[in-house]
Amino acid sequence: MTHVSLADAADAALKPLELAVVLPTLNEKANIAPMVARLEAALGPSGWEAVFVDDNSRDGTAEEARRIGRSDPRVRVIQRIGRRGLASAAIEGMCATAAPFVAVMDADHQHDPALLLEMLAAVKSGDFDLAYASRFAEGGTAEGLSSKGREKGSRLANALARKLTGTELSDAMSGFFLLRTDQLRTQADRLSGIGFKIMLDILATAEPRLRVKEFPLKFAQRAAGESKLDHGVVLDFLAGLYERWFGRFIPTRFALFGTVGGLGVFVHMAVLAVLFRGLGTSFTLGQAAATVTAMTFNFWLNNLLTYRDQKLTGPNGLFWGWIKFCLTCSVGAFANVAAASMLDGMGVRWWLAALAGIALASVWNYALSSKFVWGRFR
């Protein structure tokens, strides 16, 4: 990478800051310096800044951004402790800049910064409120998607998302877009910050509807680092749909947690029926075994869906996450078994007693697991 001299940097700092480029990162140390070089080649020596929002990467990504920032004032870093997720990182980065225009893009070189000046010109013209890069527009490609399944899933999510936003888009799930910073700030308190597709959230909550300009994107292969996406791309649409219509009543993440819990009820009741009704074990033993089984199922599905933007990975992370999930839910599990057993002893139907125990533990499980397993104290 070619760094500007201190004199050049000082001269650049005197020129008005016009554009901030927000780049959420996770274990992408090797991408930082090359990305700054590409931004300079695309945008020139001044008038912009790069805001790297790092989710406390293990590989020293934040420190690498600081190293560059010590000699290049255009580079800043927000290192988030105890907070994870692409959408929330993008929101924090966009709200942290003084630039009148802000763009969000990946730091892994799958998005081409050469498009930024054209996108900026479109929004500055006043004819459009938001410009974005589309993999599926004429002239664009989606070759950087890791599989044909990912491409098909992304196209399906796009079709569904167009119904949510009410705007005709070829790539509503794009993560590369640009808009006025004050537009973002007027919507910030209405954005869910859950999931990956922040542009979808912005378009769905904007009033009045935003005027959009799209640019074809040749979606490149990842240069280095970890993917922040997974195969649940359609879930972002469903979460966005829920957030738009019902999020003001019940938080989206709690609704997902509750949905997983509802599926866990079927697992619980199936295990209890097999042990208690089928094998003739005592109700208390059957209820305890069913509780542990359902707890394990709920941990796995919550990690995959509810907290997929904060997902625990690797054998070590999953094992200790499961241990902490079981520990934080242990009081709820004890109350579950005790209350259900008491009701069963009082002559309440076995399945109704089991459901009562589950309901008693559910709020406790959500509150503590959100904090200690996937939250600040994990």
Side-chain angles (χ1 to χ4, degrees):
M1 172 186 172
T2 302
H3 289 289
V4 296
S5 68
L6 291 178
D8 289 339
D11 180 62
L14 295 176
K15 297 180 181 179
L17 174 62
E18 184 173 45
L19 175 66
V21 183
V22 175
L23 302 108
T25 57
L26 179 64
N27 296 322
E28 297 186 67
K29 179 179 179 180
N31 290 328
I32 304 303
M35 176 52 68
V36 175
R38 292 187 70 188
L39 288 171
E40 182 175 356
L43 300 173
S46 64
W48 59 274
E49 67 176 359
V51 182
F52 293 94
V53 186
D54 184 64
D55 283 356
N56 201 27
S57 296
R58 302 181 303 274
D59 70 346
T61 298
E63 185 53 40
E64 173 68 2
R66 291 191 192 98
R67 182 189 68 79
I68 297 172
R70 282 192 283 270
S71 60
D72 188 341
R74 302 169 303 183
V75 176
R76 298 198 292 124
V77 61
I78 300 172
Q79 183 175 0
R80 306 201 305 167
I81 308 298
R83 304 190 307 284
R84 290 181 62 185
L86 191 149
S88 60
I91 293 169
E92 286 192 37
M94 289 188 284
C95 289
T97 184
F101 299 90
V102 62
V104 175
M105 62 182 291
D106 290 348
D108 57 14
H109 300 276
Q110 292 188 298
H111 295 156
D112 185 1
L115 291 174
L116 285 169
L117 283 182
E118 293 181 75
M119 294 166 70
L120 178 61
V123 176
K124 284 179 66 177
S125 72
D127 295 329
F128 302 98
D129 302 304
L130 183 145
Y132 83 101
S134 168
R135 297 161 293 183
F136 307 118
E138 184 176 353
T141 65
E143 294 176 358
L145 288 175
S146 58
S147 69
K148 289 296 183 183
R150 280 280 302 279
E151 182 174 347
K152 289 179 180 178
S154 189
R155 288 185 183 274
L156 173 60
N158 286 329
L160 295 173
R162 286 194 290 273
K163 298 183 181 298
L164 170 63
T165 63
T167 304
E168 187 61 33
L169 305 167
S170 66
D171 193 357
M173 309 305 283
S174 173
F176 185 10
F177 61 93
L178 183 151
L179 74 166
R180 292 183 181 273
T181 312
D182 57 6
Q183 173 67 48
L184 180 280
R185 291 193 180 111
T186 62
Q187 296 181 237
D189 63 346
R190 301 197 301 274
L191 302 176
S192 69
I194 295 175
F196 299 91
K197 297 308 179 185
I198 179 62
M199 189 184 81
L200 175 63
D201 204 0
I202 291 171
L203 291 173
T205 58
E207 296 176 359
R209 187 176 300 169
L210 299 184
R211 299 164 298 167
V212 176
K213 171 72 172 178
E214 73 176 20
F215 294 84
L217 170 68
K218 290 181 169 56
F219 194 62
Q221 294 289 335
R222 182 182 314 281
E226 295 182 7
S227 173
K228 294 173 282 293
L229 303 180
D230 57 29
H231 296 281
V233 66
V234 177
L235 181 67
D236 283 320
F237 165 77
L238 297 175
L241 189 66
Y242 177 90
E243 181 68 26
R244 185 180 187 189
W245 290 334
F246 305 111
R248 72 187 69 177
F249 305 112
I250 301 176
T252 303
R253 204 182 296 276
F254 182 77
L256 287 171
F257 192 91
T259 301
V260 170
L263 295 174
V265 169
F266 288 100
V267 173
H268 183 107
M269 300 304 289
V271 172
L272 180 60
V274 169
L275 294 177
F276 177 60
R277 305 291 291 182
L279 300 180
T281 65
S282 68
F283 178 83
T284 299
L285 178 60
Q287 176 75 349
T291 297
V292 172
T293 303
M295 213 162 26
T296 302
F297 172 83
N298 286 355
F299 167 75
W300 171 77
L301 202 55
N302 275 314
N303 192 56
L304 186 67
L305 300 178
T306 308
Y307 299 96
R308 75 188 190 94
D309 55 341
Q310 302 170 238
K311 186 164 61 174
L312 304 173
T313 58
N316 190 61
L318 289 170
F319 174 75
W320 288 110
W322 175 76
I323 291 293
K324 285 188 284 187
F325 184 80
C326 291
L327 289 175
T328 56
C329 294
S330 60
V331 174
F334 176 80
N336 179 343
V337 175
S341 297
M342 180 183 69
L343 291 173
D344 178 65
M346 294 171 60
V348 176
R349 290 183 179 274
W350 66 272
W351 56 268
L352 189 58
L355 289 176
I358 292 168
L360 183 64
S362 60
V363 174
W364 174 275
N365 290 348
Y366 173 73
L368 268 72
S369 62
S370 293
K371 180 67 72 174
F372 289 95
V373 180
W374 290 280
R376 183 178 180 84
F377 301 108
R378 60 180 172 76

